[in-house]
Amino acid sequence: MFIEKVASPGLAHLSYVIGDGGEATVVDPRRDVDIYLDVARREDVRITRIFETHRNEDYVIGSCDLARRTGAAIHHGGALDFEYGSAVSEGDTFEFGSVLLSVLETPGHTDESISLVLADTSFGEDPVAVFTGDALFVGDVGRTDFFPDRAEEVAGLLYDSIHDKILPLGDDVILYPAHGAGSVCGDAMADREFSTLGYERRHNPALQTNGRHAFIQRKIDEIHYYPPYFRRMEELNLNGAPPLDGLPVPAPVDPDEFAEARDDGMQVVDVRSPEAFAGAFVPGSLALPLDMVPAYGGYFLSYDRPIGLVAEDPAQVETAVRSLIRMDYDNVCCVLRGGMHRWETSGHEFDRIGRVSPAELWEQIDKGEDFTLLDVRKENEFQSRRLEEATFVFLGHLPDKLDDIPRGNPVTTFCGSGRRAIIAASFLKMNGFEDVGDTLGSLAACRKIGCPLVGDDAD
Amino acid sequence: MFIEKVASPGLAHLSYVIGDGGEATVVDPRRDVDIYLDVARREDVRITRIFETHRNEDYVIGSCDLARRTGAAIHHGGALDFEYGSAVSEGDTFEFGSVLLSVLETPGHTDESISLVLADTSFGEDPVAVFTGDALFVGDVGRTDFFPDRAEEVAGLLYDSIHDKILPLGDDVILYPAHGAGSVCGDAMADREFSTLGYERRHNPALQTNGRHAFIQRKIDEIHYYPPYFRRMEELNLNGAPPLDGLPVPAPVDPDEFAEARDDGMQVVDVRSPEAFAGAFVPGSLALPLDMVPAYGGYFLSYDRPIGLVAEDPAQVETAVRSLIRMDYDNVCCVLRGGMHRWETSGHEFDRIGRVSPAELWEQIDKGEDFTLLDVRKENEFQSRRLEEATFVFLGHLPDKLDDIPRGNPVTTFCGSGRRAIIAASFLKMNGFEDVGDTLGSLAACRKIGCPLVGDDAD
Amino acid sequence: MFIEKVASPGLAHLSYVIGDGGEATVVDPRRDVDIYLDVARREDVRITRIFETHRNEDYVIGSCDLARRTGAAIHHGGALDFEYGSAVSEGDTFEFGSVLLSVLETPGHTDESISLVLADTSFGEDPVAVFTGDALFVGDVGRTDFFPDRAEEVAGLLYDSIHDKILPLGDDVILYPAHGAGSVCGDAMADREFSTLGYERRHNPALQTNGRHAFIQRKIDEIHYYPPYFRRMEELNLNGAPPLDGLPVPAPVDPDEFAEARDDGMQVVDVRSPEAFAGAFVPGSLALPLDMVPAYGGYFLSYDRPIGLVAEDPAQVETAVRSLIRMDYDNVCCVLRGGMHRWETSGHEFDRIGRVSPAELWEQIDKGEDFTLLDVRKENEFQSRRLEEATFVFLGHLPDKLDDIPRGNPVTTFCGSGRRAIIAASFLKMNGFEDVGDTLGSLAACRKIGCPLVGDDAD
Amino acid sequence: MFIEKVASPGLAHLSYVIGDGGEATVVDPRRDVDIYLDVARREDVRITRIFETHRNEDYVIGSCDLARRTGAAIHHGGALDFEYGSAVSEGDTFEFGSVLLSVLETPGHTDESISLVLADTSFGEDPVAVFTGDALFVGDVGRTDFFPDRAEEVAGLLYDSIHDKILPLGDDVILYPAHGAGSVCGDAMADREFSTLGYERRHNPALQTNGRHAFIQRKIDEIHYYPPYFRRMEELNLNGAPPLDGLPVPAPVDPDEFAEARDDGMQVVDVRSPEAFAGAFVPGSLALPLDMVPAYGGYFLSYDRPIGLVAEDPAQVETAVRSLIRMDYDNVCCVLRGGMHRWETSGHEFDRIGRVSPAELWEQIDKGEDFTLLDVRKENEFQSRRLEEATFVFLGHLPDKLDDIPRGNPVTTFCGSGRRAIIAASFLKMNGFEDVGDTLGSLAACRKIGCPLVGDDAD
């Protein structure tokens, strides 16, 4: 019996292949399903079932494609009216080899959320592991902000699912959640991907509240963001995503053709590092450092216009394409051949972003220089610790709040480390702001060098 | 400027990616086109053109799928009415980067055959290489047996194509043919994949004949075989093959299920080595050692019944699937999970083939034992050297000539090395012959140990 | 924080890389250490410490080579006088990133055995996982037969280590043992590689005994085997293995040269499948199906004579070489070029093994045919269920017990599935037995088809 | 028979594995010899011979390590007194399979230079290919500047070697040289890696001179550079390089430790792109964009001080390490963990380089701004086309000519594309120049946008 975890970085999405006796079940497959076929081939198992722990909102689930390739059946919870697959209910069981999977209905994150309990029948029917989807994570629990009208109700449902269904399985049960640290589906997940129900019961901060009421209050007080692409994911995952006919093959095009496409409306996405982007970029580009595509692409990218990539190498291109199609951005049409170097040597003008160190930033503030310090972190981060002079606009809201930022003045962007700041800086550049700098190091460096901070957790 | 050769073993098919200046042309792509996309990604080029040197008869050409993935244009010769792509004519040129490709019409193997001449314009317009399709190989020339009614005419056309079009390009031109040693499209190709026109002019045995007439006679005298699947390839390659939606994923199934499928008509193909097959096999299997699938599968396999595989490991399964889909056998439904070992431990009966060494064979002959020695090589091989007692049936003709082989008597199969003999042996077993042995080593070993041989070239 | 399990199949050895904060610790590295360097590079961590949970007896530990490549410190328990590294004691702690490792002294399997307890300091000091070496496995506990004079004492030590040290860490602690199913270091490990202390406490058969005394009695009653190579491993692992200067590169040699080397004393090891070996083999070969090299090579192979391999393909050769050097067999000098096929075509005589199906076997028994049925399983397997007519010699003891097997008579070898039986059959052939057959399927198939069995667990 | 080309980018070094009949010969192996072992394993051949076409000056040849791993014999020309291997002479032949290799003594580049002529004996003894080392390249011939006192003589020797030995082999012979485009061992090699003697005879610019005298004059007039590390290569390649015990494993270290090591004398090499370096870098770093390490590392790096790397990802680190050890820089001790991002967030100050576009540069010149425009190309490039205002210092001579560059003034570096300029810019920064910019695009872009140029080839 094996459990193979398949992680999709960026999304911090975790899917699983559970195999035994020549069969396998996949839990929450991603859209580019080749990896599950590889695992199955290597392990000599046939994928016969696919479970969706819930209707996902942050990525296109790969169930339909995987079913098409393998003939597997698709199952999900019954509280939503899916256009494909079949519904399972509390207590339903599925057996193959020595694996016994039982369904727990664990609503809260969404109504149709289920968990899957794994027993090894060669040792009895006691649970040895549980796949909790977005109900319980290592170090956190799932979001409950998707139904603002039912905020209290669904937070309570999640409390009950965890306390009445999942934790009673036993302290010794291993936890396999659907996300790891960095996911937009939770806030405080541990940077550790192994845990047990007992460990979480005693150490998960979200489970240390004083009773159901406090838990609900805590959930209601959380601030979450809802990227616009979620809506599309929800639809696709309800109706069944259309087949993905191989990964898109973006054509490498010369600078002239690339520039022309951009001028005709192509979205230029630059996945290089913040330093490289700041060094030189194609005017009109959006900076989306490679590993941030999943978390922030959905705030800035349109499904209606083609996407052209700027990258350092073919490996970056492939990663970018995979990240994008997982969000249904199949419209990646081309990549700048030869990268920035070729753009530069072809005589095209390039643009730049200033790089400010926290020490320099502090000096500018100290001297009373006139500029906008734009902090684009999440609201809770901003409340916790910030430079007093900072203006707050959450990065994802920048498209709607450009008017709040004074034009004419220099702008220095700021975040936790300088990475979200480069996205913001590039977006300001795209929108006509001329003098834009990124605070490389941002808050992390400010704390190291002792800049004075204000906020709830400032010393 | 680069030329990357993509070889498909078994078929001994050679395709090429020619790239420069951010663009690439593919010559004669195979059906599983992922490899060309990989090369293009790595080399940062866009595939913009696909050339078919001729309508291939031995494999499904991948042009349509590759065009669909990349947007490339497809070109072929004009003497056939293709349902897709566009025709090119003598003298047409195509330029990208420093590559200049010019079309030569080189009929003979087929009427619409073309060759592509490559010049490096940064050094002038002199040819540096030529892609000759099935006109000229290293050490041989193409078959001209596809039009029996026009035998003399087409052999003459080939002579003219080679002598009036290709060789005049110059001795110093590098040769890139569509097949290497082992292909069914030629007989005597060199086991060396690099050559020049000058070297071939002076050393290619087929070009050493005394003039046009002798060349034609030589071609007419050649014996070639025409596997039944060729007809299907010709149709697909004329009309355009339907898209291949990912490689088939054969399901690993347990022995019981495998046996049941076999009993319901599934063709069982065992791709293990002859020794392993002889050791134990699933009754009713056809032995097709992995690298012989392309050369002999087309004689024995039906498109109408599903195929189940027996293999040693997942790598063999993948190779088998790729070999089969290149011949349009997309009907690979399953693979015996756990291989023969699992079949045996599950209590299913297995069958065996006897293994006779040449010394033992000779001893049996010497003693006058009563058995059929069945030599399944090609006719020219048989004529060249053979054991006097041998009965000749070409392996590919065995399905039609079973009645020529006396039942009741033991049969010992024989070929060049024992590999074709195992296919024959398995086929006899499938058809009710009970006492069947394979001469491992066959003719090669007979010669080493000095068995008395007869035939045109026997010493 | 990550834990990456590195499994070495065959040995069923599990080693671990624990990383966080840019540092990593390796637990029980194998000898070919490239894989740990790969993990470290990919995860951007520096390997700073290596722990040996005990002086291993079944493989050469890679600590010294890994330390040489990385500068890492080596630690082991203090109850043995190692020539390298440094001793740690109960309660010693090691911290990096959020990882806190604490040492538990857990003697029993060996005196110097230690376990490592892992806490995630970002969540407190409670243990979240434990690396138990050969003390506690999933579904079993470690062997305690290495000190026959102290049998009771060491079994008791193990009981105390598990009950007083390991289990009290808590039900919710994840278990990371040094071996998985198939290891010679335990007998009944689960075919499942994930578990917790709570699950083991309640389900591990070895922990369900009625108290300390019963546990000791159970351990004393166990039958274990001690392959001769263990002695060498123990010495190397005490003194520190000499550097491995890259993997040996066995030269592909032609049949003539291979035969000559064999005649000069080279040990021929054939790692192909039992079916392929039975089909045809180089006379004088030992059959060691690839995945059985670690478990049985040490009973049959000498360190003093070179080893020549017969394999199906280069991947098998590499796996064989890795398996052998893990047991300090660096003396792999060559591989038969072109495999058996080339041997056969070169005119060399080959040998064969008969393949008997259980039904045929039963028929022979039923008819009262005169032959030796040689069952080479472990004694406990033999006691549990067997064919009444079987003669018992444990496979590993065959070299010493050849005289117990009557010559002249046919011998049919038998085991659980036919795989150990092929090793035995080849060994008999090497030693002059002429008529030897292997029962493919062996006991597993006998049970399926309902052969009458005797023994403690026979129905 | 196969020839497998192994290219080492950066060095533009080409080595070859020639295999047939189970044996292989390697020509000019690089120092990290694992790739030859991989080819040999895959092709089932034993490497029995290694040829060095000459004592290489630009990299450590891997002969000794490869011989140690395989038992192969090493051969080189006799005109130099090597401490290892054995000398071969004109006409010596070596045969394996159908391969016949014959030695041609082809001095000129060096006295002991040899070429290897390949015949396929199954087609006769006519040559089909020739391995010319550094005598004849595609589009160029070897350098003859290594013996300044014998300039005329050695250029004449090369002329004779090419005209009297190599070209007479025949127009139809395929050319396999030791370097491709980009090598420091020639100047004008074609960006095409396939050619024949006939094509070169008619198109290689170096062979179009009017007779021997003109050839010699042309060679004498060439300008070549001699990086200081060549001396060390020559010594190692004469005496035999010591074994490379696996690739160095640079430890990922935190910014504090990295900074401390730098302050203690560690050389910091930043292999990221020019844009990324310009964006932000560790003060005191040398920029060496990854693919330029081989060509320029040897001018700037010391063998006596450790090297610490800054890179984007682990793949870059491995490439850098391989490039460095090929030049005997085994002293790579560490890599900045987490790259620049981590440096920035840890609060360490970073530095920047200005990025000037050619248009901006021209505007500055036009306005008469006061700055040094430093052109670091090779002298012949500078003579050919330049901006009139440029100061010339060849990049490799910068360490010796720092005093020629006025301090205090801003410096804008310039080269062919902006890549060599970033190395120069970083070196100036290391040496206290404060205001330094890189002209991204440099001459290539200047030409595209029509900046006025002067020089021999300016329009």
Side-chain angles (χ1 to χ4, degrees), chain D residues 112-162:
Chain D
E112 82 292 352
S113 286
I114 57 170
S115 293
L116 288 170
V117 182
L118 169 71
D120 178 349
T121 58
S122 51
F123 287 81
E125 302 217 343
D126 281 356
V128 63
V130 60
F131 300 85
T132 52
D134 279 14
L136 178 61
F137 299 121
V138 179
D140 203 354
V141 299
R143 291 170 63 163
T144 54
D145 62 306
F146 291 152
F147 307 89
D149 302 344
R150 301 165 53 205
E152 218 166 300
E153 177 203 348
V154 296
L157 282 173
L158 183 62
Y159 182 89
D160 299 339
S161 291
I162 293 172

Side-chain angles (χ1 to χ4, degrees), chain B residues 251-263:
Chain B
V253 303
D254 278 331
D256 288 358
E257 188 175 344
F258 196 79
E260 197 177 330
R262 175 199 58 186
D263 296 344

Side-chain angles (χ1 to χ4, degrees), chain C residues 183-391:
Chain C
S183 165
V184 296
C185 295
D187 214 26
M189 295 180 206
D191 175 37
R192 167 176 44 86
E193 288 188 356
F194 47 95
S195 195
T196 55
L197 295 185
Y199 193 87
E200 292 307 307
R201 187 175 55 76
R202 288 182 296 122
H203 295 288
N204 188 318
L207 305 186
Q208 308 312 311
T209 52
N210 189 6
R212 192 175 191 271
H213 183 73
F215 178 93
I216 291 171
Q217 197 52 50
R218 179 190 160 108
K219 291 306 292 176
I220 289 175
D221 290 347
E222 284 179 359
I223 298 166
H224 287 287
Y225 293 98
Y226 187 93
Y229 86 103
F230 272 22
R231 189 76 61 209
R232 187 180 180 106
M233 300 300 99
E234 289 170 352
E235 259 182 59
L236 283 168
N237 291 338
L238 188 65
N239 297 321
L244 176 68
D245 180 21
L247 290 179
V249 180
V253 303
D254 279 330
D256 289 358
E257 188 174 344
F258 197 80
E260 198 177 328
R262 175 199 57 186
D263 297 344
D264 288 352
M266 180 179 75
Q267 308 170 81
V268 179
V269 174
D270 190 321
V271 298
R272 296 174 303 144
S273 66
E275 295 82 10
F277 187 87
F281 64 91
V282 171
S285 308
L286 179 73
L288 269 181
L290 194 54
D291 57 353
M292 304 180 79
V293 172
Y296 290 97
Y299 286 104
F300 293 96
L301 298 177
S302 155
Y303 288 99
D304 301 328
R305 292 184 293 136
I307 293 172
L309 297 173
V310 180
E312 294 276 3
D313 56 43
Q316 283 193 346
V317 174
E318 187 184 331
T319 302
V321 166
R322 285 189 183 265
S323 293
L324 287 166
I325 60 102
R326 287 174 195 156
M327 303 161 80
D328 200 41
Y329 289 105
D330 299 355
N331 48 337
V332 186
C333 66
C334 67
V335 57
L336 177 59
R337 176 164 91 90
M340 274 313 292
H341 181 64
R342 198 172 170 81
W343 179 268
E344 292 151 16
T345 53
S346 69
H348 282 277
E349 272 302 311
F350 51 85
D351 205 346
R352 284 143 293 194
I353 301 279
R355 289 86 65 226
V356 185
S357 77
E360 292 163 341
L361 176 66
W362 185 245
E363 201 184 315
Q364 289 170 0
I365 291 172
D366 208 40
K367 286 187 186 163
E369 291 188 11
D370 190 17
F371 68 101
T372 305
L373 176 61
L374 182 67
D375 190 327
V376 298
R377 292 177 297 151
K378 295 181 182 164
E379 197 177 331
N380 55 339
E381 295 175 87
F382 185 79
Q383 297 304 346
S384 166
R385 276 186 204 85
R386 63 183 177 275
L387 287 165
E388 195 167 8
E389 295 71 12
T391 301

Side-chain angles (χ1 to χ4, degrees), chain B residues 73-246:
Chain B
I74 303 173
H75 302 298
H76 28 230
L80 205 59
D81 205 16
F82 289 90
E83 293 291 314
Y84 64 97
S86 62
V88 293
S89 307
E90 182 91 7
D92 284 355
T93 57
F94 300 88
E95 212 167 343
F96 53 95
S98 299
V99 171
L100 175 67
L101 291 176
S102 323
V103 174
L104 284 187
E105 294 180 356
T106 48
H109 175 67
T110 61
D111 290 333
E112 81 293 351
S113 286
I114 57 170
S115 293
L116 288 170
V117 182
L118 169 71
D120 178 348
T121 57
S122 51
F123 286 82
E125 301 217 343
D126 281 357
V128 63
V130 60
F131 300 84
T132 54
D134 278 16
L136 178 61
F137 300 123
V138 179
D140 202 353
V141 300
R143 292 170 63 163
T144 54
D145 62 308
F146 290 153
F147 307 89
D149 302 344
R150 302 164 52 204
E152 218 166 297
E153 178 204 347
V154 295
L157 282 173
L158 183 64
Y159 182 88
D160 299 339
S161 291
I162 294 172
H163 287 83
D164 299 347
K165 300 268 186 86
I166 295 172
L167 292 183
L169 294 170
D171 279 1
D172 57 339
V173 172
I174 302 177
L175 174 64
Y176 293 106
H179 284 288
S183 165
V184 295
C185 295
D187 213 29
M189 296 180 207
D191 174 37
R192 167 177 43 89
E193 289 188 356
F194 48 95
S195 195
T196 55
L197 295 184
Y199 193 86
E200 291 307 306
R201 187 176 55 77
R202 291 184 293 120
H203 295 289
N204 187 319
L207 304 185
Q208 309 311 310
T209 53
N210 188 7
R212 192 174 190 272
H213 183 72
F215 178 93
I216 291 172
Q217 199 53 51
R218 180 189 160 108
K219 291 306 292 177
I220 289 175
D221 291 348
E222 284 179 2
I223 298 166
H224 287 287
Y225 294 96
Y226 186 94
Y229 85 104
F230 272 22
R231 190 75 62 208
R232 187 181 181 105
M233 301 299 101
E234 290 170 353
E235 261 183 57
L236 283 169
N237 291 337
L238 188 65
N239 299 321
L244 177 69
D245 180 21

Side-chain angles (χ1 to χ4, degrees), chain A residues 377-392:
Chain A
R377 293 177 296 153
K378 294 180 183 164
E379 197 178 329
N380 58 337
E381 295 176 270
F382 184 79
Q383 296 303 348
S384 166
R385 276 188 204 86
R386 63 183 176 275
L387 286 165
E388 196 166 10
E389 293 72 11
T391 299
F392 169 72

